[in-house]
Amino acid sequence: MNNSKIKTPMPSQDPNVRNSNFQEVALGYTEEMAVSEAERCLNCKNKPCVSGCPVNVRIPEFIKKVTERKFEEAYEIITSTNSLPAVCGRVCPQETQCEGRCVRGIKGEPVGVGRLERFVADWHREHQEEEKNNVSSAKESNKDKRVAVVGSGPAGLACAGDLINMGYDVTVFESLHKEGGVLVYGIPEFRLPKDIVAYEIDNLKAKGVKFIRDVVIGRSLNVDDLFDQGYQAVFIGTGAGLPRFMNIEGENLVGVYSANEYLTRINLMKAYKDEYDTPIKKHKKVAVVGGGNVAMDAARCAKRMGADVHIVYRRGRDEMPARAEEIQHAEEEGIVFHLLNNPVRILGDDKNEVEKIECIKMELGEPDASGRRRPVPIQGSEFTIDVDAVIMALGTRLNNLICDTTEGLDQNDRGGIKIDEENNACTRPGVFAGGDAVTGAATVIKAMGAGKKGAAGIDAYLNK
């Protein structure tokens, strides 16, 4: 057993090299590193790490297989509950989920569950010539039952994967020209290579899942049309894609982006590659407003596009919702943080293009409804930063398009789709939902957990 109090370090690109390319930052464990880290696991009897995982990956079991160098068996254990291990190993906030409950973390660093999950998934992809078809034949009665899944992000993919394994005829409808949802348009290549997402989607296609792109449910077709076409159940996993703004002066100037738009141009439309014609200006000095993972992604993309990048966030570092690893990577890459500062207006030149952002200094007061200390402006402390672009990374809000075009589909208190939390059934019979479309913006793994619950709910509904 490895009794080290710290994780086996993850090899990564040098910050001064990676901040000008879009290649993956973390390089992954070697076999020896993976085995060494796996040997830190205590194989606890109560398995607290499993209860911290939204899809209940059998963590100690797969880690045990890694210590035995039985990597393919480890992969089979992970994928018995998690259909996207290479994705989750890279982007899940393990520090607040599985690793946050690891006993090793009491007197040192927790076991690197995410790093090991990534290693196992990558090892499988590199060593398997052909993916096994794991479609279950246990429910032959399901093969003529058609299910429509709306959205090909994490919730939709997880739901489709479970349903195809149960034997259903599954079709996924995607509004964009490429499958993957936020995994392809939101998360940058240097955090999640797109060939990994494509590999996972190709596995679903090989099992029989059909994908139809460029279809906006609520516009091109509505939920009633899907039932009219013979689908017997519908799962809605459309995410929460509408951007938020501050409603301050100057937000309509040329050079102000939502993080959604900026990241979509970079990630989905490959604006960072010269051979692509995606229209995007290469700015010289960019301010990114926000402190979450999306803000870090936008800032790090802008840095790689050649800009001098400044993050403006109204609270302190301890209150930042972004993962500690992402904040650290951003700092290492030369991004400047203006903490306890908040924009009050954006100033333009005579061409209506961004020229400056005016901010005010803040101090933390009493906790607000989120439990974090409320930022309070310090009067008279205004200052400006010279910039030629501002990216608003303030989170997203829910799109009501499907609710507005579907009779009998109610909304919850957050403005999302109302569901029965026992089975993710909506108020319209035969319709189920999960992920950000219900809760608002959350994590990839929580969306996947909702997709799995939705699949189980659909299975029970169609086999009553």
Side-chain angles (χ1 to χ4, degrees), residues 225-242:
D225 293 328
L226 296 177
F227 283 113
D228 289 343
Q229 291 180 9
Y231 294 99
Q232 294 160 276
V234 176
F235 177 82
I236 301 171
T238 49
L242 294 182

Side-chain angles (χ1 to χ4, degrees), residues 306-326:
D308 177 16
V309 183
H310 297 249
I311 287 177
V312 180
Y313 180 58
R314 62 182 185 159
R315 290 184 168 97
R317 182 183 176 115
D318 290 344
E319 291 76 34
M320 295 184 82
R323 297 182 66 188
E325 180 179 76
E326 301 307 320

Side-chain angles (χ1 to χ4, degrees), residues 283-294:
H283 298 281
K284 294 179 180 179
K285 192 170 183 179
V286 175
V288 177
V289 182
N293 288 324
V294 174

Side-chain angles (χ1 to χ4, degrees), residues 262-276:
Y262 190 78
L263 290 171
T264 297
R265 288 174 184 258
I266 297 287
N267 300 326
L268 181 64
M269 302 169 71
K270 309 295 184 186
Y272 64 92
K273 292 187 175 182
D274 292 337
E275 62 266 31
Y276 282 74

Side-chain angles (χ1 to χ4, degrees), residues 135-136 159-170 204 207-209:
V135 177
S136 171
C159 184
D162 278 15
L163 288 171
I164 200 71
N165 286 341
M166 295 173 188
Y168 290 98
D169 182 334
V170 184
L204 292 177
K207 291 180 178 182
V209 177

